[in-house]
Amino acid sequence: MALQTQTKTETLVRVENLRMLYPVSTGIFARARSFIHAVDDVSFDIKRGEIFGLIGESGCGKTTTGKLLVRLITPTSGHIYLRVTQDPSTDSQGEQFVDIATLEGRALKEFRRNVQMIFQDPYESLNPRMTIFDIVSEPLSIHGIGSVYEREERVAELLSLVGLTPPESFLFRYPHELSGGQRQRVAIARAMILNPSFIVADEPTSMLDVSIRTGVMNLMLDLREEFGISYLYITHDLAVARYMCDRIAVMYLGKIVELGPTEEVIQNPLHPYTRALISAVPIPDPTVERQPIEIKGGVSKPIDPPPRCRFYERCPIATERCAQSDHPPLEDKGHGHFAACYEI
Amino acid sequence: MAYPVLQVENLTMHYTTRKGAVKAVEDVSFSLEKGEALGLVGESGCGKTSVALTLLRLLPENAQFLGGHVYFFRDGSDEAHARRAVGKPVKVLLDGQEHQGRLVGVDRSQLVLDARLNGRTQQIKLARDGIARIGVDLTALSDEEMRPIRWKGISMIFQAAMNSLNPVYKVGDQIIEAIQTHMPMPIPEARERVAQLFQLVGLDRQLMDRYPHEYSGGMKQRAVIAMALACDPDIIIADEPTTALDVIVQDKILREMRQIQKKLNMSMIYISHDIAVIAEVADKVGVMYAGGLVEFGPAEAIFKNPIHPYTKALMSAFPSIKGEKVKLAALPGEPPDLIKPPSGCRFHPRCPYATEICEREVPKFIEHKPKQHAACWNPLT
Ligand SMILES: Nc1ncnc2c1ncn2[C@@H]1O[C@H](COP(=O)(O)OP(=O)(O)OP(=O)(O)O)[C@@H](O)[C@H]1O
Ligand SMILES: Nc1ncnc2c1ncn2[C@@H]1O[C@H](COP(=O)(O)OP(=O)(O)OP(=O)(O)O)[C@@H](O)[C@H]1O
Ligand code: SF4
Ligand code: SF4
Ligand SMILES: [Mg+2]
Ligand SMILES: [Mg+2]
């Protein structure tokens, strides 16, 4: 616990006004003049050793945000700063922030080693022609770490930790010879093997049952305690978010609409979207009838949204002011609990 | 009156690997009634997907089908189904009675069956008046004969939802093609049908003309659900259909699916690791552990009074958004090795109720309480 209090004040990643627009062609003759606003002016920061959760509607831009943070895609605009001990461009020593968009050469390689992503879809992201051993140990061989024997040892250890036991049964199988949840755990083991300092975990346990998921979540928490790893943790499961995350941000159509300490946001949601979301969480008891808050409509359109509040069409408490004004700013409503809504 | 649409009996299937056979499906039996939703739950890697693939005969090359029967029932008046069943092992349900045998012939008014009665094979004739239901054993069909059953009879929403879309075609066109193949209709009509399905699963209809890579994870999952609904199948098997969806969309889709199911009197098998989802949708629940079905029965009974210790473990220790935040613990012990599964009851190394017999002998799957079956030597009360 000492580690938590000591390190969680220091910012590791700072995201400023991040924007990712995808062009869409709207007709046969039209060149792209419309855009999907996948991530639209998003700012937040993640502290060292912090697990920062990202939740929100399907298609709201969570994966896109994650991919931007590991530099798999380049933002349309905005900045992502990472704290490093040495500036690659000036070689000056001492802690400072660098814009990850500017990294190249040795610094980029170092970044790739320290920052890992666990992808949402374990059916798409594992190379079908590689064995589980090759997949999990690949980061070690890319960075030339350890002998073959040491690598096998380390891979076996990690496979047991994620519940793929006994590891010998799995080492030389291919991804298509594993179940969905087993593939997901292979992806987790791969991301962990280099002891990175920052992991983007995109729905890493969505296919796991409670018991195995609990094991994997505890493993991630332990590694955080031990090595001070920071996470951007994307999930649909609010119970998981509550268990794992120190703070969470709620996204809606490319915007962060609420952000704060996890317990605060879940027990005392401010934004109407977050409230609806929390009321819709299923309860593991067939005799209980829930009373979910209804929100209008069902289909959200991220293409060229009008400037007003992104939630306006579906909001149960929208007023005339919401119709006339721009999207509301994300404001501190007290104790680091931010929300973007005029009616709070 | 309730009658079965699917009866699975003693299904067994192993995968061959370098390290030995993975015993993924071991002697699994259950039945599914018309209009009913069955939830299949169990730990990651316990064989849920394998059961579905085995009964649909969609197994990979290294799979060995080792036995069992899958009876798929339709009305006796369905001509194509009756023709398909000729020469095959069948079960015929007539006036509350079950007749089993090989179907040797059908004509307009009757079914002729070679049935085994009192140890002898006898030919019997059954009236074919629409109340008779013919269940054909899918394990006896050729690939050719299986094909029409896969979309219109039993359609499957694969766990690899995101991989079941072809990356080079527009998503809408893929669904239109599926409809065209199985229920020929003019293109504009099929297109309209797809638009309606898109609306049902909460996708903007403009998305029909976009490619899979332009979809988010949850959007692909919804497109695949729309595709499974496209041909009005008798049974839908949904393998983790909502893992990539937020709770609002999940809630909406599960409710819509439940409504369609009720309206069309369709049957569903939901495969999920998520007890909460199963609690929302299932009438009956089947619990799997290490390749076997360990408990089966009405959802409420299983949630309230589980018989099998594994079921009980599965139902407790659930992370919640309510109440105090507690440190969660995984089940003690390791997930079982399906290449060398534990002897006797496969759960014994992790079971707090295990006694000496559990290690030695496989417990029988029997009815312990009305309609509630379980395989355990020391059933919980
Ligand atoms: N390569 C792309 N080209 C065009 N549009 C894209 C592309 N990738 C994503 N999008 C769009 O950007 C938006 C955000 O997608 P993203 O994958 O980030 O959503 P998400 O929040 O991760 O959703 P989910 O929870 O369903 O995975 C969606 O509308 C999606 O259709
Ligand atoms: N093609 C294959 N070859 C060898 N083993 C396989 C193959 N496919 C699956 N298995 C193994 O069979 C077992 C059952 O797999 P299955 O996919 O049915 O599990 P599941 O219950 O669906 O799990 P999950 O919830 O993780 O998807 C697993 O232990 C898996 O490793
Ligand atoms: S700003 Fe207005 S429309 Fe937007 S969430 Fe708040 S009340 Fe609703
Ligand atoms: S048979 Fe024995 S080991 Fe198996 S679940 Fe029952 S009590 Fe436990
Ligand atoms: Mg995503
Ligand atoms: Mg599966």
Side-chain angles (χ1 to χ4, degrees):
Chain A
M1 285 293 152
L3 183 101
Q4 275 191 33
T5 41
Q6 167 209 332
T7 55
K8 269 199 219 146
T9 49
E10 185 183 285
T11 299
L12 179 74
V13 181
R14 170 165 295 157
V15 174
E16 278 179 16
N17 309 103
L18 200 59
R19 189 170 261 133
M20 184 72 209
L21 309 182
Y22 289 109
V24 278
S25 49
T26 44
I28 312 170
F29 302 108
R31 276 208 238 122
R33 271 182 210 97
S34 287
F35 293 92
I36 293 176
H37 293 232
V39 175
D40 198 355
D41 195 11
V42 157
S43 303
F44 58 90
D45 53 41
I46 301 175
K47 313 258 186 279
R48 201 183 287 283
E50 181 178 46
I51 304 184
F52 186 84
L54 204 54
I55 63 176
E57 191 178 42
S58 164
C60 71
K62 303 179 297 295
T63 298
T64 307
T65 305
K67 285 184 176 167
L68 288 166
L69 262 61
V70 301
R71 216 185 127 170
L72 266 175
I73 49 179
T74 311
T76 309
S77 62
H79 299 279
I80 301 160
Y81 297 105
L82 183 75
R83 185 189 290 272
V84 294
T85 46
Q86 188 189 39
D87 187 327
S89 51
T90 60
D91 255 352
S92 61
Q93 295 290 326
E95 296 240 321
Q96 53 208 300
F97 284 101
V98 293
D99 190 336
I100 65 160
T102 65
L103 295 178
E104 39 187 62
R106 187 158 48 86
L108 182 60
K109 192 165 181 194
E110 190 61 24
F111 173 78
R112 294 249 182 264
R113 176 180 166 165
N114 278 315
V115 176
Q116 294 290 325
M117 178 150 181
I118 302 168
F119 292 94
Q120 182 172 11
D121 181 2
Y123 284 86
E124 216 169 65
S125 61
L126 303 179
N127 186 335
R129 279 173 294 277
M130 285 165 73
T131 63
I132 303 309
F133 170 73
D134 289 336
I135 291 171
V136 178
S137 67
E138 190 184 42
L140 294 177
S141 40
I142 289 175
H143 295 279
I145 299 166
S147 66
V148 174
Y149 176 76
E150 284 162 346
R151 283 176 201 168
E152 208 170 310
E153 188 116 295
R154 178 93 179 106
V155 171
E157 183 194 355
L158 268 170
L159 290 184
S160 322
L161 282 173
V162 295
L164 293 173
T165 52
E168 314 84 74
S169 292
F170 293 94
L171 280 176
F172 301 104
R173 277 201 229 167
Y174 290 89
H176 70 263
E177 298 177 321
L178 261 51
S179 79
Q182 289 171 341
R183 291 180 217 215
Q184 216 163 30
R185 287 176 275 159
V186 167
I188 293 170
R190 178 187 157 99
M192 299 285 187
I193 200 152
L194 285 174
N195 276 335
S197 55
F198 178 51
I199 295 178
V200 172
D202 193 357
E203 306 271 9
T205 62
S206 63
M207 292 179 189
L208 303 183
D209 57 283
V210 208
S211 173
I212 289 177
R213 184 204 291 158
T214 300
V216 170
M217 291 193 303
N218 285 343
L219 170 70
M220 293 197 247
L221 290 171
D222 290 347
L223 291 179
R224 181 268 289 271
E225 289 305 320
E226 200 171 330
F227 302 107
I229 304 176
S230 310
Y231 293 84
L232 178 74
Y233 201 98
I234 300 171
T235 180
H236 281 304
D237 190 327
L238 284 138
V240 167
R242 183 181 183 215
Y243 191 65
M244 292 295 292
C245 305
D246 302 300
R247 287 186 302 152
I248 50 177
V250 184
M251 275 182 90
Y252 189 83
L253 279 189
K255 297 274 193 193
I256 290 182
V257 296
E258 184 155 358
L259 188 161
T262 308
E263 205 59 21
E264 243 312 284
V265 173
I266 288 179
Q267 305 307 340
N268 180 26
L270 297 175
H271 194 279
Y273 174 68
T274 318
R275 291 189 180 182
L277 192 67
I278 285 167
S279 75
V281 174
I283 299 166
D285 181 346
T287 58
V288 174
E289 281 287 320
R290 284 177 298 107
Q291 291 296 323
I293 300 172
E294 293 287 340
I295 51 175
K296 287 174 269 177
V299 185
S300 311
K301 295 182 189 170
I303 300 176
D304 296 338
R308 63 167 177 251
C309 174
R310 294 293 184 277
F311 193 53
Y312 177 76
E313 279 83 6
R314 300 174 70 188
C315 183
I317 58 166
T319 61
E320 196 44 38
R321 176 175 179 203
C322 311
Q324 304 302 330
S325 320
D326 282 351
H327 184 83
L330 192 63
E331 280 171 346
D332 195 343
K333 309 283 177 186
H335 312 290
H337 188 164
F338 294 77
C341 173
Y342 294 120
E343 296 300 315
I344 297 169
Chain B
M1 206 196 73
Y3 59 91
V5 284
L6 198 70
Q7 279 184 1
V8 175
E9 292 177 355
N10 311 105
L11 211 59
T12 301
M13 188 276 297
H14 295 172
Y15 297 104
T16 310
T17 70
R18 266 168 50 177
K19 295 276 173 185
V22 177
K23 303 178 181 63
V25 180
E26 202 80 329
D27 202 14
V28 166
S29 306
F30 63 87
S31 79
L32 177 70
E33 286 179 2
K34 181 84 181 156
E36 185 178 65
L38 163 67
L40 203 54
V41 290
E43 140 179 280
S44 168
C46 71
K48 304 180 293 297
T49 301
S50 299
V51 166
L53 297 181
T54 311
L55 64 87
L56 268 174
R57 308 250 320 269
L58 288 171
L59 292 168
E61 267 175 29
N62 68 332
Q64 283 175 279
F65 175 70
L66 297 175
H69 304 279
V70 178
Y71 294 98
F72 170 61
F73 290 86
R74 293 216 74 181
D75 255 30
S77 59
D78 179 339
E79 206 52 49
H81 186 70
R83 299 255 161 258
R84 189 159 48 215
V86 174
K88 303 288 184 312
V90 293
K91 279 190 178 180
V92 178
L93 300 177
L94 185 62
D95 301 329
Q97 268 198 306
E98 186 183 287
H99 307 271
Q100 192 167 356
R102 183 172 293 273
L103 190 65
V104 287
V106 274
D107 62 28
R108 220 180 298 135
S109 62
Q110 61 183 5
L111 304 163
V112 184
L113 214 61
D114 268 345
R116 277 192 80 76
L117 292 171
N118 312 323
R120 289 192 304 138
T121 304
Q122 280 179 331
Q123 199 159 76
I124 53 170
K125 296 193 165 84
L126 300 171
R128 182 188 175 195
D129 59 0
I131 309 169
R133 303 195 194 273
I134 307 174
V136 60
D137 186 354
L138 298 184
T139 65
L141 300 192
S142 67
D143 282 346
E144 197 57 44
E145 292 165 321
M146 256 326 268
R147 200 158 304 143
I149 288 182
R150 279 191 199 121
W151 278 88
K152 274 199 64 62
I154 312 176
S155 90
M156 176 142 177
I157 301 170
F158 289 95
Q159 186 172 15
M162 316 171 181
N163 261 13
S164 34
L165 294 168
N166 189 328
V168 300
Y169 295 107
K170 291 175 181 161
V171 175
D173 292 350
Q174 297 186 40
I175 305 179
I176 290 170
E177 201 198 304
I179 295 176
Q180 291 278 314
T181 322
H182 298 274
M183 340 197 299
M185 60 171 82
I187 298 251
E189 216 173 290
R191 215 181 140 75
E192 191 44 43
R193 191 177 166 79
V194 177
Q196 280 168 11
L197 289 166
F198 263 50
Q199 191 178 10
L200 195 80
V201 297
L203 290 175
D204 189 88
R205 65 186 295 162
Q206 286 178 359
L207 284 164
M208 283 170 64
D209 295 316
R210 304 235 300 268
Y211 294 89
H213 78 267
E214 297 175 281
Y215 279 51
S216 78
M219 288 152 77
K220 284 187 232 177
Q221 204 162 38
R222 284 181 271 172
V224 172
I225 293 174
M227 196 183 296
L229 291 167
C231 301
D232 288 337
D234 295 345
I235 303 173
I236 293 186
I237 304 180
D239 194 354
E240 303 278 5
T242 58
T243 44
L245 303 178
D246 63 274
V247 285
I248 292 178
V249 174
Q250 168 177 298
D251 197 57
K252 176 177 179 296
I253 289 187
L254 291 180
R255 247 188 291 172
E256 297 273 10
M257 279 168 71
R258 195 103 174 106
Q259 261 169 26
I260 300 174
Q261 184 208 338
K262 289 261 150 70
K263 207 169 85 194
L264 304 178
N265 207 15
M266 206 189 309
S267 308
M268 297 271 325
I269 300 178
Y270 287 95
I271 297 177
S272 179
H273 66 275
D274 190 341
I275 300 287
V277 167
I278 295 295
E280 297 262 316
V281 297
D283 306 306
K284 291 231 180 90
V285 173
V287 181
M288 282 189 76
Y289 185 80
L293 198 63
V294 297
E295 184 156 0
F296 184 82
E300 271 188 36
I302 289 197
F303 275 93
K304 230 195 269 143
N305 293 308
I307 289 175
H308 198 280
Y310 175 66
T311 312
K312 190 178 170 198
L314 202 63
M315 304 282 163
S316 46
F318 210 86
S320 160
I321 61 164
K322 300 250 155 58
E324 215 173 303
K325 195 172 151 181
V326 287
K327 174 103 182 164
L328 297 172
L331 265 181
E334 290 175 344
D337 179 5
L338 292 188
I339 293 177
K340 290 190 200 71
S343 61
C345 169
R346 289 183 174 186
F347 189 52
H348 86 256
R350 305 170 82 181
C351 180
Y353 302 90
T355 49
E356 181 260 335
I357 188 172
C358 303
E359 194 180 333
R360 264 188 298 119
E361 274 179 63
V362 181
K364 288 213 167 42
F365 190 65
I366 50 173
E367 192 167 352
H368 287 277
K369 291 183 205 161
K371 300 210 155 114
Q372 206 175 344
H373 300 252
C376 177
W377 290 117
N378 305 310
L380 307 172
T381 48

